[in-house]
Structure formats: structure tokens, C-alpha cells
Amino acid sequence: MHSTSHSLIIAWGCRYRAPIKLSSLYLTPLLLHHRRRTRELSPPPVAVLNTSTITSGCRLLNPHFTGNSLFSRMEILMRGMVLLHLISMLFYISKQRIWTGSCINKNNEMLDHLQRYGVIKSKKTAEVMKSIDRALFVPEGTPPYVDSPVQIGYNVTISAPHMHATCLELLENNLKPGMHALDVGSGTGYLTACFAVMVGPQGRAVGVEHIPELVDSSIVNIQRSAAAQLQKEGILSLHAGDGRLGWPQFAPYDAIHVGAAASEIPEALIEQLKPGGRLVIPVGNVFQDLKVVDKNMDGSLSVRSETSVRYVPLTSREAQLRGD
């Protein structure tokens, strides 16, 4: 598919909960969470839509309306919503992930695909994902290299590889040796381990997860990984707690990543973000955006939306276990 194509893809988050409702879907350009493409993709089958048929269910009362009235503008919005929902359904069925992974059985092959599709552009991101094998962080018997979230229990998933890569690239400049990083909703510990490798022995990587059983299993996962020594030395630590409150003990942080969607950005995380630091967090309820929050040296904030995503809510342990 050429970079000028208008095809669409849904971004999957690390705490995505399936099945997704059609009414809650919304779309993001097939840029694989980046502004530019560096490689062309092979064109998939193209679905041709008859817009006259699609919009027949919301026909205008006056087909010759000028668009000057509020009612006319509302009907334009209705027509657009119907079209978006139908396109969402088509691409939810055909584009749930970048690749199926059925022929990918090695970590390096997964990385090759991420680079080929233009998700990984940074050499540093490729190196750290190569050093931390994803297979050590998914349940036994689960295909580890499929580009899709994988259930890990407690209504939680490990993120799809392309989302891990996206967040690492967004935070790369704030994960340099000696820096401090916080991973809220650390789950299996995969991204926390990546953070630890990037900040190195002089830095600090902290994971906070409100499901104690996941904290225990993530410690075991990391003990088998390339980040084991960093964990042994205390450079990497995992804690059971409410991530909405951050982890003040090792603040301020140069990088903060949040793996669940907040209705609004928690004030505690802003307070614990170092001037010059960056926070990456999904924000929203039905409609969610991956927000990139930069704290300027004067303490002011710069906020932008990177892409549209779908995560489960950033909430309490009890609500998480209920699946609310």
C-alpha cells in the first residue's frame, strides 16, 4: 500500500479488552503510529464502498440544502458517522494487526517485520527489543510474536509489539543512560525491562502494577531476561500499587509510560515528571488518543496526540478484576 492510501488501521493497547464494540471503534491513518512512512507496503484487497447506499439510511429531508442551517450541519455529521462506522467494521475484520505471526517464531523476525513496516526507525529501539525476548513475557503456549495483545489474566493483556515499539520510540530521548523511568500498569514487566536496559546501571526503572499476582510473575519473567542483573542490583524494581498515584520514591522521572486509558491525566504523574521529561499516556473513554506530554523547563506543559488507540480504563484494582 502506498503512503498516499486512505486505508485505516486500529491501534491496540497493552490493556485492550476484546471483543470490541463497533460503536466504540474509531480510526487512525495507516501510518503505524508515525507521521511518515519509509517503506511501501504491498497493497491488500481494496473494498469499494457505494456511498449512496451507505447514506440512504440517513437521507436528507431537503436534498438541496445549502448547509447554512444547524440542522443541515447535524445531518452532515450523521452521514459521516454512518460512513465511519461501516468502514470501521470492514477494517476491524481485515486489519486487526499488522501481521498474523503464524510464520514468525523468532524475536529477530518480529523486529524485522516492525522495521519493514516502518514502526521501528530507531537503532536504539531495535537493539533493546532484540535484547529483551518477548517470548519470556507471555503465557506458555501462546504465540509470542503475533502483532496483537495477548491475554495474561486478570482482564489484562501484554501490548502488541507495534505498540511497545511506538512507545519506546516516543520515549527514546528520555531513556538515556542515567535517567529515571516509570512504567504505570507494568503487567508482565516487558516494557519495564526495556526501560531498564536503556537507562542502564546508573539509571532507575520502576514498574507499578495494582495486581500483586502480576507483580510476582513479572519479577520471575525479568529474572530470565537480559535485565535480570539490573533487577538484582535494584536498578529495576516492580511494585504493587495504584499507578494513578505514580511512585514518588524515585521521582522525578525523565520518562513516564501509562498502559491504560485515563479519563484525564493524573495530576500525580504530572507532578512526578521532571522538567524536560515526557509522559506517554492514552486519554479518553470511548474515544481515546495516545497523548504525548512534555514538561518544559519552566514547568509548563506541551501536549499533543500521537494516534488513536483503544485501552481499558486506568482504574482501581477492584474495577480491573471485575472487568469494568
Side-chain angles (χ1 to χ4, degrees):
M1 187 181 301
H2 297 289
S3 59
T4 56
S5 170
H6 297 289
S7 294
L8 309 166
I9 192 167
I10 298 169
W12 287 45
C14 73
R15 288 177 177 253
Y16 178 83
R17 182 171 57 207
I20 189 169
K21 295 181 180 179
L22 178 60
S23 61
S24 68
L25 289 174
Y26 73 120
L27 310 170
T28 182
L30 182 54
L31 299 183
L32 304 180
H33 314 291
H34 292 270
R35 303 295 182 190
R36 300 183 297 275
R37 297 293 296 273
T38 56
R39 294 178 183 271
E40 296 183 349
L41 307 179
S42 300
V46 176
V48 179
L49 302 178
N50 186 331
T51 55
S52 63
T53 301
I54 290 173
T55 58
S56 62
C58 55
R59 192 179 306 279
L60 294 173
L61 296 178
N62 176 9
H64 304 292
F65 75 99
T66 64
N68 294 327
S69 69
L70 174 63
F71 183 74
S72 297
R73 291 195 295 272
M74 290 175 64
E75 291 216 328
I76 292 174
L77 178 61
M78 289 174 61
R79 290 162 68 100
M81 290 176 65
V82 171
L83 179 62
L84 287 177
H85 283 320
L86 289 176
I87 296 174
S88 296
M89 180 174 65
L90 290 174
F91 283 92
Y92 174 65
I93 294 171
S94 63
K95 297 268 183 198
Q96 292 191 31
R97 54 188 70 123
I98 298 174
W99 70 86
T100 63
S102 58
C103 60
I104 300 177
N105 52 25
K106 293 182 179 179
N107 197 58
N108 286 350
E109 293 176 0
M110 179 189 77
L111 296 178
D112 288 342
H113 274 68
L114 290 170
Q115 291 174 309
R116 184 179 309 161
Y117 282 93
V119 180
I120 294 179
K121 302 177 186 297
S122 160
K123 180 180 179 181
K124 186 64 177 177
T125 298
E127 288 175 350
V128 70
M129 291 186 71
K130 182 177 181 179
S131 68
I132 303 296
D133 193 337
R134 180 179 166 89
L136 301 175
F137 295 84
V138 301
E140 188 175 353
T142 303
Y145 307 118
V146 174
D147 191 44
S148 172
V150 174
Q151 291 288 336
I152 59 174
Y154 310 98
N155 294 312
V156 178
T157 64
I158 180 175
S159 179
H162 75 269
M163 285 304 298
H164 280 152
T166 296
C167 292
L168 287 171
E169 295 234 328
L170 288 172
L171 290 168
E172 179 182 357
N173 290 334
N174 299 87
L175 292 169
K176 294 179 179 179
M179 291 184 170
H180 285 204
L182 175 64
D183 186 18
V184 173
S186 51
T188 65
Y190 176 84
L191 209 56
T192 317
C194 291
F195 289 171
V197 170
M198 294 179 80
V199 301
Q202 304 303 316
R204 171 75 65 171
V206 180
V208 180
E209 169 60 55
H210 59 193
I211 307 296
E213 294 84 353
L214 286 178
V215 175
D216 294 339
S217 62
S218 64
I219 290 172
V220 174
N221 293 340
I222 291 172
Q223 286 173 348
R224 300 182 296 163
S225 77
Q229 187 61 31
L230 294 170
Q231 181 174 247
K232 183 177 179 180
E233 295 173 357
I235 304 303
L236 186 166
S237 59
L238 296 155
H239 309 272
D242 188 341
R244 295 171 294 184
L245 304 178
W247 199 258
Q249 181 180 357
F250 301 112
Y253 296 100
D254 300 276
I256 300 177
H257 166 266
V258 181
S263 56
E264 57 184 26
I265 301 172
E267 186 61 33
L269 300 183
I270 296 296
E271 291 175 357
Q272 293 173 35
L273 188 64
K274 185 178 180 179
R278 170 170 285 188
L279 163 66
V280 173
I281 178 173
V283 177
N285 296 309
V286 175
F287 300 104
Q288 301 171 3
D289 288 318
L290 188 66
K291 298 287 188 181
V292 178
V293 182
D294 292 311
K295 179 179 277 190
N296 302 314
M297 298 308 295
D298 62 1
S300 62
L301 301 177
S302 300
V303 183
R304 66 178 174 85
S305 296
E306 175 68 15
T307 187
S308 299
V309 291
R310 185 65 183 167
Y311 286 66
V312 300
L314 181 64
T315 185
S316 67
R317 177 178 181 270
E318 293 73 22
Q320 180 72 46
L321 292 174
R322 290 195 305 267
D324 294 350

